[in-house]
Structures are given as structure tokens and as C-alpha cells.
Amino acid sequence: MIQVNNLTKRYGPSRGIEDVSFNIDRGETGNIIGFLGPNGAGKSTTIRILTCYQPATSGTATVAGHNVFTESLQVRRKIGYLPENAPLYPEMRAREYLDFRAKLHRMSRNDRIAAVGRVTEKCWLGDFIDRPIGQLSKGMRQRVGLADALLHDPEVLFLDEPTIGLDPNQIRETRKLIRELGQRHVVFLSSHILHEVEQLCTHTIIIANGRVLADGSPAELRERISGSSRLIAEIKGGVDETRSAVQGISGVGAVESGEEPDGWSRLSIEANGTGDIREEVFRLVADKGWALRELRHEVASLEDFFIKITAEQRQDAGV
Ligand SMILES: Nc1ncnc2c1ncn2[C@@H]1O[C@H](COP(=O)(O)OP(=O)(O)O)[C@@H](O)[C@H]1O
Ligand SMILES: [Mg+2]
């Protein structure tokens, strides 16, 4: 469905993306693909190239069976694109705007009425369709942008950070809508929010500094992230005593400890393997007759995760 080979984009001397490659087949990997990376990673650059809005410096790419550089008309017919800051006309009513956009797809009057009706329903615009866009909330405007991207019933939908700037309710609604769209379309979604990609996506590509760092299912991604998580335990007891007891559990690696007020110790425990050591920690505390007020995994932040996989890559490359 989407093939990208050694795509590079330079903006003058500065780098947009470097040697980006990935391959997404429909079905095999599911239909919502997460393109995850911090700000400045190269997500928008990649998406603009794949949607034929910007040329690449080198490399090749095909989307829905067509080359994005030599067959851009065919590609555009098969894709929908919601850019980072979708330009909408505030004075137009949503229905007028969508009809105007459908005209650009050269649809006949009857086709336009049918298409606008279809996307209105699909994007839950019913109550708002005759309001001026300028009066809609940011969440609603985002849905108008999605409806626009869906007018010609594209196979592949590119959404560039679709939940950025929305409030928590709007985010929840938008994610629900994206999940629904993923049942009929291949959705390529960029995000800098790990949790969002985990929630929504069936396949994830991680990009940082213009390079692809990882490519796999959310389960594989989670495994790699939890590999870098630590267990936090707060135990009532002396710092040295609790630390050396926890250190004695098999499967426990490094343990850091700190003193809390009122005789509590806070331990940050690293596991050696991938096994869950919470049960052993709990048993130890119970055997010793100590009290326990917290026992949880501290999942590494996305930034930590990027640092970790970048370091792994450097090791693999023998740097
Ligand atoms: N039009 C541009 N001109 C110059 N540099 C750009 C341009 N667009 C993006 N960049 C640079 O390319 C890199 C990737 O940017 P971008 O694709 O927007 O990342 P993301 O969408 O992941 O935040 C950044 O370093 C950014 O500064
Ligand atoms: Mg961007």
C-alpha cells in the first residue's frame, strides 16, 4: 500500500529526512499506521512527499500502487490528506466548503450532494454542517478537515498530527473517529504522543532526527519500551535494609534508593530480564512484615525511549 525506499529530503544545507525506508501492506499490518516521532523528526516532511505536496531530494515512493513522483495525479486520486494546520475558510458554512472542495475533485452536482452527505455522516457533522466554519470549535473544524479529506473516498488517508491543539474531550472524539475510519481506509497517522499511537495503531514506524529507528507492531514497540521501565516501590523500613533485601531477589538488577519522610524508603528497581518482578517484591515485603504504599512500573518517557533506541542503533553500527 505504501512503499518508501531511501527517501531523503534536504532543505538547502539542513536535513529534513535521511534515507527513510518502510513498507506497508494492507491487511497484513492492519489499517492504522502510526508514524511516531518528536517535533522536528521529519514526519510532516515525509507526509508532504507521500501526498505529492513536495518533491524529495532522492529516493522513491509508491502509494496505492502509483509512483508519487511520476504519477502524482493517480496518487492524489487515491489519497486524502489532512495537513498539520488545515486551511479552512472561516466565513464559509461547512456544507458550502465541502461542496466547493468536491467541485475541485470535478464531481457532478449529484455526486457532490451524495459525497457531502456521506462525509457529513462519517465525520459526525450533522448538527454543524450549516454553521460558518469560523464559529466551530477546533475539534469540529478538525472534523470538517477530515470530511474534506474523505470526499473522494480515498484508499489511503494521511493525517498529520490530527489531535494537536485539541482539548481532552475533542481528542477522545477524534481518536474514536479515526478508529472508525481505519475500518474502511488505510490511515497513516503521525503523532508525537506514544500513548496515542499505542491506542490506535496496528503498526508503528518510529522516526527521529530524520531517520527511521524502529518499525513494528505496537506489541513489539511496547516490549522495547517496557525493557527500559523501572519498578518503583515505597517500603516502610530503613533504606539500606530494604535495598539489600530487594537486591537479593533473583531477576533484580540495579537498585537505587532514597529516603522519604516518616521512615519510608523509595526504591527504584531495574529488572534484569523481561519478567515481572512485582510479585517477588510484594512477597519479600510481606515476609519481612514491612508496609508497602506504592508498587508501580515507571514507564520510560518517549524521549528516554528515543535515546535508548538511538544508542542501540549506534552500537549496531559499531559506532
Ligand atoms: N520548509 C522547510 N525549510 C527548512 N527546513 C525545514 C522545512 N520544513 C521542515 N524543515 C526541517 O526539517 C526537519 C523535519 O521537520 P518536520 O518534517 O516538520 O518534522 P515533524 O513534522 O516531525 O515535526 C526539521 O529540522 C525542520 O526544521
Ligand atoms: Mg510536523
Side-chain angles (χ1 to χ4, degrees):
M1 187 54 60
I2 305 174
Q3 275 107 31
V4 176
N5 297 307
N6 313 105
L7 215 54
T8 293
K9 171 73 185 177
R10 297 207 182 84
Y11 296 101
S14 68
R15 177 170 78 184
I17 53 171
E18 183 82 23
D19 206 23
V20 165
S21 299
F22 56 84
N23 189 358
I24 291 149
D25 295 323
R26 189 179 189 138
E28 186 193 308
T29 53
N31 285 338
I32 305 185
I33 295 108
F35 196 41
L36 178 68
N39 288 337
K43 302 182 294 296
S44 299
T45 298
T46 307
I47 289 178
R48 284 196 301 264
I49 294 169
L50 296 181
T51 53
C52 310
Y53 276 80
Q54 156 178 297
T57 307
S58 61
T60 57
T62 63
V63 172
H66 296 283
N67 184 309
V68 299
F69 305 120
T70 59
E71 300 175 299
S72 62
L73 274 179
Q74 288 92 322
V75 171
R76 279 168 195 245
R77 240 176 254 141
K78 294 199 169 175
I79 62 162
Y81 172 35
L82 180 66
E84 229 172 342
N85 300 301
L88 299 169
Y89 297 84
E91 71 286 357
M92 271 191 182
R93 293 172 198 281
R95 189 196 302 278
E96 285 172 288
Y97 172 73
L98 292 171
D99 184 66
F100 156 72
R101 299 287 295 177
K103 275 183 192 158
L104 300 181
H105 288 294
R106 300 173 187 280
M107 290 185 198
S108 68
R109 186 166 184 276
N110 284 341
D111 286 351
R112 295 202 305 273
I113 291 170
V116 172
R118 187 172 44 75
V119 298
T120 299
E121 198 176 312
K122 235 178 174 174
C123 297
W124 314 327
L125 290 172
D127 298 341
F128 306 90
I129 192 72
D130 289 310
R131 292 236 199 119
I133 291 169
Q135 287 179 16
L136 299 178
S137 69
K138 184 140 203 294
M140 290 303 310
R141 287 204 299 272
Q142 195 67 320
R143 279 197 237 157
V144 174
L146 270 169
D148 174 11
L150 286 166
L151 277 169
H152 56 304
D153 200 22
E155 277 179 47
V156 188
L157 197 54
F158 288 90
L159 309 179
D160 197 357
E161 306 227 29
T163 61
I164 218 164
L166 302 186
D167 74 27
N169 280 325
Q170 296 166 343
I171 290 177
R172 196 173 326 123
E173 292 264 284
T174 304
R175 287 183 186 156
K176 196 167 145 209
L177 178 56
I178 291 169
R179 198 172 286 126
E180 239 179 68
L181 295 174
Q183 291 170 4
R184 258 198 46 71
H185 308 267
V186 173
V187 177
F188 190 89
L189 165 97
S190 83
S191 177
H192 65 282
I193 306 161
L194 175 63
H195 154 78
E196 172 165 280
V197 166
E198 271 196 298
Q199 255 188 3
L200 285 175
C201 300
T202 44
H203 188 94
T204 307
I205 297 160
I206 296 178
I207 183 167
N209 280 324
R211 289 179 178 274
V212 172
L213 297 186
D215 183 348
S217 70
E220 289 164 336
L221 177 69
R222 208 170 295 125
E223 173 101 335
R224 292 182 69 171
I225 295 171
S226 63
S228 56
S229 77
R230 311 173 124 259
L231 189 66
I232 304 296
E234 287 195 11
I235 301 172
K236 193 157 194 170
V239 172
D240 294 336
E241 196 187 353
T242 52
R243 188 187 49 222
S244 66
V246 166
Q247 196 90 67
I249 297 172
S250 85
V252 166
V255 181
E256 284 168 26
S257 56
E259 208 174 330
E260 298 277 310
D262 303 323
W264 289 88
S265 300
R266 182 187 167 83
L267 305 182
S268 168
I269 307 163
E270 235 170 59
N272 274 332
T274 50
D276 191 342
I277 53 169
R278 282 177 298 184
E279 192 174 337
E280 273 74 14
V281 173
F282 174 76
R283 283 188 197 289
L284 169 82
V285 170
D287 285 349
K288 297 273 189 188
W290 289 332
L292 181 72
R293 67 176 180 191
E294 179 157 35
L295 186 63
R296 64 175 170 90
H297 273 122
E298 186 180 63
V299 176
S301 69
L302 186 57
E303 285 66 33
D304 294 340
F305 180 56
F306 284 128
I307 292 166
K308 180 172 177 264
I309 52 184
T310 314
E312 277 173 16
Q313 264 203 340
R314 290 164 65 90
Q315 265 172 12
D316 289 349
V319 179

